[in-house]
Amino acid sequence: EPAVAERGGRRIALLSYNCVGPENAWAGDASAGCNYLRVETADGSPIAPAAPLESIAPAALERLAGDIAAARAQTDLVLVALHKGIVHTPARLAPYEHPLATAAIDAGADVVIGHHAHIARGIAWHRGKPIFHGLGNGCVVTSALSPAQDHPARAAWAERRKALFGFEPDPAYHLAPFHPEAVNAFLGWIEWHDDGRIAAGIVPVDVEPPGRPVLASGARASEIARYVEHITFAAGLPAIRIGADFRAEPVA
């Protein structure tokens, strides 16, 4: 069921889904769990966070559309959050990500918000509605992924992660041992106008050692804005421009 909040006489719905993760974490008729949208693998391998996820199952798209229509009927603004994507890799989107986001908007969603990759993703528009493909980490504190481990299984995973994702965490970030580009972070914002128009932008966030997010300013804020422009285009999405007021807009 959507979470619903009322502000200023208008009702806002949030629907949240998981597109990655093993089957034992999915909600069922008799068990709690995540609200899973089935994504098929490219090679028929088991569904898991590191699997080559490629396309949304038709039944999942049908359920998503039904959920959004039901939320749309009782609220004024519908936000759809998607736990999705490829972890620890700059810019790249899996084949299913943008089609899923646009399908949500086609079904009636006003904003799509992605998360999971532990690194920021680009921003796109569909039918004038914003898609934040990945909000990055926010505030994540963990030592589980750091190279220095006193548990053999965690130490083995830290070594395997280097081979999988091709980077060595900066030792200065021992509480946030993520990709070096993950220091370029942001909060997403929207402006919801009375006529239904939605504008979008970012609040640049810098991640300082050992893993502390702080609001960026000056040259660093501009640097983060240019980074978001770059990863948007590098992911194969239409180019965007982020202005001095950090409003994001598609390039005409």
Side-chain angles (χ1 to χ4, degrees), residues 159-183:
E159 289 302 313
R160 181 168 170 258
R161 191 178 68 151
K162 294 179 197 176
L164 280 173
F165 303 113
F167 73 91
E168 178 81 39
D170 185 336
Y173 286 81
H174 61 90
L175 293 182
F178 301 110
H179 192 282
E181 291 184 21
V183 300

Side-chain angles (χ1 to χ4, degrees), residues 130-141:
I131 300 168
F132 293 95
H133 267 299
L135 293 183
N137 274 329
C139 186
V140 176
V141 175

Side-chain angles (χ1 to χ4, degrees), residues 14 27 79 96 100 136 156 213 220 232 244:
L14 171 65
L79 314 177
Y96 71 89
L100 175 60
R220 183 68 181 111
T232 297

Side-chain angles (χ1 to χ4, degrees), residues 72-95:
R72 175 96 272 160
Q74 60 176 313
T75 59
D76 304 297
L77 187 82
V78 178
L79 314 177
V80 172
L82 301 170
H83 189 72
K84 66 178 182 64
I86 302 165
V87 294
H88 308 307
T89 306
R92 184 181 167 200
L93 297 175

Side-chain angles (χ1 to χ4, degrees), residues 33-248:
C34 67
N35 186 13
Y36 183 73
L37 286 177
R38 186 180 183 89
V39 183
E40 306 290 358
T41 58
D43 56 6
S45 59
I47 294 170
L53 301 174
E54 187 168 85
S55 59
I56 300 293
L61 285 174
E62 185 177 341
R63 182 165 66 86
L64 174 67
D67 291 349
I68 292 172
R72 175 96 272 160
Q74 60 176 313
T75 59
D76 304 297
L77 187 82
V78 178
L79 314 177
V80 172
L82 301 170
H83 189 72
K84 66 178 182 64
I86 302 165
V87 294
H88 308 307
T89 306
R92 184 181 167 200
L93 297 175
Y96 71 89
E97 291 186 66
H98 194 60
L100 175 60
T102 58
I105 289 174
D106 287 340
D110 295 293
V111 184
V112 175
I113 306 156
H115 55 96
H116 165 64
H118 292 294
I119 188 169
R121 291 283 186 256
I123 303 170
W125 276 260
H126 181 63
R127 294 185 166 185
K129 305 295 179 65
I131 300 168
F132 293 95
H133 267 299
L135 293 183
N137 274 329
C139 186
V140 176
V141 175
T142 179
S143 60
L145 302 176
S146 299
Q149 297 291 340
D150 57 6
H151 189 284
R154 282 185 171 179
W157 164 240
E159 289 302 313
R160 181 168 170 258
R161 191 178 68 151
K162 294 179 197 176
L164 280 173
F165 303 113
F167 73 91
E168 178 81 39
D170 185 336
Y173 286 81
H174 61 90
L175 293 182
F178 301 110
H179 192 282
E181 291 184 21
V183 300
N184 300 296
F186 66 87
L187 304 173
W189 57 260
I190 66 168
E191 287 177 350
W192 180 22
H193 295 270
D194 289 339
D195 62 3
R197 289 182 301 111
I198 298 177
I202 69 169
V203 177
V205 172
D206 186 21
V207 182
E208 299 179 339
R212 179 176 51 251
V214 298
L215 297 182
S217 60
R220 183 68 181 111
S222 297
E223 185 178 86
I224 293 166
R226 303 291 79 78
Y227 176 78
V228 177
E229 292 175 342
H230 165 72
I231 61 172
T232 297
F233 189 72
L237 299 169
I240 66 169
R241 180 181 296 109
I242 298 176
D245 60 354
F246 299 106
R247 183 181 301 265

